[in-house]
Amino acid sequence: MEAKEQSMQAQEQKQLIMRVAQHRDRQAFGALFKLFSPKIRAFGVQRLGQQGLAMDLLQETMTTVWTKAHLFNADKGAVSTWVFTIMRNQCFDMLRKVQHNREDAFGDDIWPLFEDVESGDGMSDHKMSDKLLENMDKLPPLQRQIVQGVYLQELSQQELAERLGIPIGTVKSRLRLGLEKLRSYLEKHHD
Amino acid sequence: MIKYHPSDALLQAHVAGELPLSMSIAVSAHCEMCQVCQDKVHKMNAAFAQETLEAEACTETDLCEFNFDSMLEDIMSKPTAPQEVTPDAMVEVNGEQYKLPKAFRHQLQDSWSGIGKVNRMRFDTAENKARASLLHIGAGGEIPAHTHKGQEITLLLSGDFCDEYNEYHPGDFIVMSSEHEHSPRTNSGCLCYTVVDAPLYFTKGITKLLNPIGELIY
């Protein structure tokens, strides 16, 4: 494969994972699933020797991709490297179970998936936005919809009101409540 | 300055996830201490991932036999996971605290047991032959001359030690085969991680009588 083609692929995959991370985009996730699932299954069959276990590996790996997409850091490497790391770690733990009957999860200690969260005040912008994204999911759905609309999709309050068919006053009050709640989550986290 | 590194073949096997737990811990911990090997592993990881996951476009036939829609639905019904804050791997022995590489995080379950200046914490890796332990030797301590029935890997985590061959520094990854006879000793004390294939054989005078101690120490 040409290097240029590879980097285009990598670029596309990055776009897809960002869409999953920011909007929980189901179509983007479906595309990633289609892209990686045959390879993950093949790796599973080769390492674990059973179709059933290979399917478990696929499900576990892609579940982590879905639930942790917002923690993926494109500065640290390609999407394929990240997915491979998740898969290899999961497979390592599954092999321990098959070979030694051990229910342990050491893979992520041996090959860390993410940089550690720094303790203390030195939270960078990047980590702050990670934290925000992660806490946004804890908001009540109506408030979350507005906060995401304004800050992630960058819609105006008027646009949101029109799209959702609600008065602009309601958009404003939900936004205010949502932001207050987000701030309280983050402050709690700092204590 | 780290002088002893795992071979490229060992790093490659580590990246592929083909090593047993005891060895994976050793290589991972070394890489956390050694920028050179960290960079190498980073590159190997990306290359191996590329090879494994992106060899060619996916063939539709692979997907036909199974209905993936229900799996996809199941996965996408899950909420996002929070970022986990993992605690440091801390260990205390002889009144001293050590911060260890991340690979040790969930391994430090057992207590220390000791003879003289030598303290050991054995890891329960469930591997048949290999014995993995943390070994702490107090200042001025020594381990009687011995050979190994199999291969011995030592990763020096803190302090210093030397044997008939060399002086070692933190981060050094030392591989001894069954031909080597050595008697490691330390001036200021040291903490290391060791993986031994098989029990040690002591070779010198009175310590021959102490052969069973090999099993106790490592």
Side-chain angles (χ1 to χ4, degrees):
Chain A
M1 202 185 295
E2 296 288 318
K4 201 175 163 191
E5 208 176 307
Q6 269 181 19
S7 78
M8 260 183 58
Q9 262 188 9
Q11 205 55 37
E12 276 169 26
Q13 289 169 12
K14 204 163 94 182
Q15 301 290 338
L16 289 171
I17 200 97
M18 293 321 262
R19 275 163 60 194
V20 176
Q22 291 171 0
H23 311 299
R24 317 301 296 149
D25 186 322
R26 300 168 73 87
Q27 204 194 341
F29 184 74
L32 286 169
F33 188 92
K34 200 169 167 195
L35 206 59
F36 290 126
S37 57
K39 309 287 177 210
I40 297 174
R41 275 177 76 203
F43 186 85
V45 169
Q46 188 211 333
R47 289 294 171 93
L48 300 160
Q50 274 182 44
Q51 280 290 346
L53 290 173
M55 292 303 268
D56 289 350
L57 178 66
L58 171 61
Q59 173 138 16
E60 292 298 326
T61 303
M62 291 311 290
T63 299
T64 303
V65 172
W66 172 253
T67 58
K68 296 192 172 173
H70 59 296
L71 302 174
F72 169 72
N73 182 350
D75 300 340
K76 298 287 176 195
V79 176
S80 62
T81 308
W82 188 63
V83 174
F84 168 74
T85 302
I86 294 171
M87 172 184 78
R88 190 237 352 251
N89 295 8
Q90 182 63 39
C91 189
F92 183 81
D93 292 335
M94 287 175 72
L95 260 180
R96 295 260 310 152
K97 182 155 167 23
V98 173
Q99 293 176 342
H100 303 293
N101 199 25
R102 286 298 171 99
E103 291 271 3
D104 42 39
F106 298 145
D108 292 348
D109 286 344
I110 292 166
W111 303 275
L113 273 187
F114 308 105
E115 296 301 294
D116 277 327
V117 186
E118 288 163 40
S119 44
D121 314 328
M123 201 188 265
S124 66
D125 276 359
H126 180 78
K127 277 179 183 144
M128 192 51 140
S129 53
D130 276 355
K131 281 263 158 290
L132 269 173
L133 276 175
E134 159 195 326
N135 279 290
M136 212 174 270
D137 288 317
K138 293 193 218 152
L139 289 176
L142 290 175
Q143 292 168 17
R144 187 174 65 216
Q145 192 177 34
I146 303 292
V147 175
Q148 284 178 338
V150 172
Y151 289 98
L152 294 180
Q153 291 154 27
E154 298 183 332
L155 298 169
S156 73
Q157 298 184 13
Q158 186 59 48
E159 279 173 317
L160 268 170
E162 280 166 18
R163 281 191 186 198
L164 299 169
I166 51 173
I168 187 152
T170 312
V171 171
K172 283 185 195 300
S173 64
R174 282 182 190 165
L175 182 61
R176 185 175 49 79
L177 285 172
L179 289 178
E180 272 171 14
K181 207 161 277 172
L182 262 185
R183 188 164 60 215
S184 76
Y185 291 153
L186 288 173
E187 280 169 359
K188 212 185 290 171
H189 192 86
H190 266 295
D191 284 345
Chain B
M1 182 70 186
I2 297 172
K3 279 187 292 189
Y4 297 88
H5 306 268
S7 65
D8 283 359
L10 198 57
L11 290 178
Q12 189 63 54
H14 172 67
V15 163
E18 288 166 350
L19 298 176
L21 177 63
S22 58
M23 289 296 291
S24 302
I25 292 171
V27 177
S28 169
H30 170 80
C31 290
E32 193 173 321
M33 300 172 85
C34 172
Q35 192 63 48
V36 177
C37 290
Q38 212 175 94
D39 293 346
K40 269 192 195 175
V41 159
H42 189 76
K43 285 202 190 93
M44 286 179 181
N45 210 39
F48 197 74
Q50 177 82 24
E51 202 179 296
T52 313
L53 292 178
E54 295 186 14
E56 75 265 14
C58 99
T59 45
E60 288 294 330
T61 48
D62 282 21
L63 289 165
C64 287
E65 69 219 63
F66 184 83
N67 179 11
F68 284 89
D69 290 349
S70 64
M71 188 190 278
L72 257 175
E73 277 308 310
D74 186 41
I75 290 173
M76 291 194 293
S77 69
K78 300 222 162 54
T80 55
Q83 190 159 13
E84 288 149 32
V85 183
T86 28
D88 286 333
M90 300 294 297
V91 73
E92 193 183 319
V93 54
N94 275 8
E96 272 194 83
Q97 282 253 343
Y98 297 90
K99 186 181 166 196
L100 301 183
K102 298 180 187 78
F104 290 104
R105 257 170 199 158
H106 292 102
Q107 308 298 331
L108 307 167
Q109 312 286 348
D110 254 309
S111 51
W112 295 90
S113 60
I115 306 166
K117 290 188 173 179
V118 182
N119 271 290
R120 166 182 68 80
M121 183 192 286
R122 173 84 51 83
F123 293 163
D124 178 19
T125 59
E127 289 159 36
N128 290 334
K129 275 187 174 169
R131 297 157 174 274
S133 325
L134 284 180
L135 196 64
H136 181 269
I137 310 176
E142 187 170 353
I143 291 180
H146 61 271
T147 56
H148 313 101
K149 203 175 174 189
Q151 181 180 253
E152 180 199 63
I153 301 251
T154 305
L155 174 67
L156 183 54
L157 295 164
S158 179
D160 70 88
F161 86 86
C162 56
D163 60 14
E164 290 81 344
Y165 304 96
N166 273 304
E167 267 181 49
Y168 305 101
H169 305 282
D172 273 336
F173 186 99
I174 306 133
V175 182
M176 292 276 179
S177 74
S178 53
E179 294 104 60
H180 296 99
E181 175 186 317
H182 74 156
S183 46
R185 60 190 179 280
T186 172
N187 294 321
S188 61
C190 70
L191 179 67
C192 36
Y193 172 64
T194 64
V195 183
V196 194
D197 273 339
L200 299 177
Y201 283 75
F202 289 82
T203 54
K204 225 180 204 175
I206 186 91
T207 52
K208 260 190 177 166
L209 295 171
L210 301 176
N211 231 336
I213 289 182
E215 299 197 20
L216 285 170
I217 292 177
Y218 283 92

